[in-house]
């Protein structure tokens, strides 16, 4: 499996200025469920998020800080219950961490600007996407906006 360090579109340098807030500030700004997923690396239940089956054109921003992360052009139907993308919008918009929680060995995807948990990256699943990657992202970590608004 290619590691994020040796694939294209990966860097740990944020596109926007880093957002640093205290835990109290995040708790005040986010709903309890947003906080659980974005700040505590939780996961929403499959097939429950607002974007898992959305085909609306637009840009997906980080719900915590507004950084543009993905577009509808890279979104595809993986039928896994979460929004799936084959690449981020641009280099540096996301960062990667090795995640060994829940008895699995996987790659966590975080917003490079505010360090919020977005989801996980999987490779080699045979979806036939240009990168053979699936960014499996929690809907609650995202906000879909019209391209003209972004």
């Amino acid at each position: 499996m290619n590691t994020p360090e040796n694939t294209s579109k990966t860097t740990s340098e944020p596109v926007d200025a880093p957002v640093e807030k205290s835990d109290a500030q995040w708790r005040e700004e986010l709903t309890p469920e947003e906080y659980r997923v974005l700040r505590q690396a939780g996961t929403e239940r499959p097939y429950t998020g607002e974007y898992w089956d959305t085909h609306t054109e637009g840009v997906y921003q980080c719900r915590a800080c507004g950084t543009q992360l993905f577009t509808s052009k890279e979104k595809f139907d993986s039928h896994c219950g979460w929004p799936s993308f084959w690449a981020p919008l641009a280099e540096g918009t996301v960062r990667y961490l090795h995640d060994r929680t829940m008895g699995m060995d996987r790659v966590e995807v975080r917003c490079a600007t505010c360090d919020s948990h977005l989801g996980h990256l999987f490779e080699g699943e045979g979806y036939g996407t240009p990168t053979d990657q699936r960014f499996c992202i929690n809907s609650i970590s995202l906000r879909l906006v019209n391209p003209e608004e972004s």
Side-chain angles (χ1 to χ4, degrees):
M1 173 167 121
N2 286 333
T3 62
E5 291 76 28
N6 66 14
T7 60
S8 64
K9 297 189 182 227
T10 60
T11 180
S12 58
E13 294 299 317
V15 173
D16 296 326
V19 173
E20 294 181 20
K21 296 181 182 181
S22 70
D23 188 60
Q25 287 173 302
W26 285 121
R27 286 183 185 274
E28 187 176 306
E29 293 178 17
L30 301 171
T31 68
E33 184 63 8
E34 289 169 346
Y35 180 85
R36 186 183 73 76
V37 173
L38 289 159
R39 305 311 304 168
Q40 297 180 315
T43 301
E44 65 192 358
R45 289 189 342 265
Y47 305 102
T48 62
E50 68 181 304
Y51 302 127
W52 78 269
D53 198 25
T54 297
H55 297 92
T56 305
E57 188 175 315
V59 175
Y60 290 87
Q61 299 176 335
C62 174
R63 192 172 297 242
C65 72
T67 296
Q68 296 180 5
L69 301 171
F70 301 95
T71 75
S72 56
K73 292 179 179 129
E74 290 82 29
K75 190 171 187 288
F76 71 100
D77 290 326
S78 67
H79 308 287
C80 70
W82 291 276
S84 296
F85 304 87
W86 50 266
L89 175 110
E91 240 181 86
T93 58
V94 298
R95 67 184 204 97
Y96 306 92
L97 298 173
H98 198 138
D99 179 4
R100 289 192 175 117
T101 61
M102 302 180 74
M104 294 182 258
D105 192 12
R106 51 195 182 158
V107 177
E108 180 183 3
V109 179
R110 290 185 164 260
C111 175
T113 303
C114 70
D115 199 38
S116 288
H117 172 77
L118 303 171
H120 290 88
L121 170 62
F122 301 95
E123 295 184 278
E125 297 178 314
Y127 281 105
T129 59
T131 61
D132 197 24
Q133 294 180 325
R134 177 172 59 98
F135 288 78
C136 183
I137 307 298
N138 291 287
S139 287
I140 202 163
S141 296
L142 303 171
R143 179 172 288 114
L144 177 60
V145 296
N146 183 305
E148 288 83 44
E149 295 173 25
S150 57

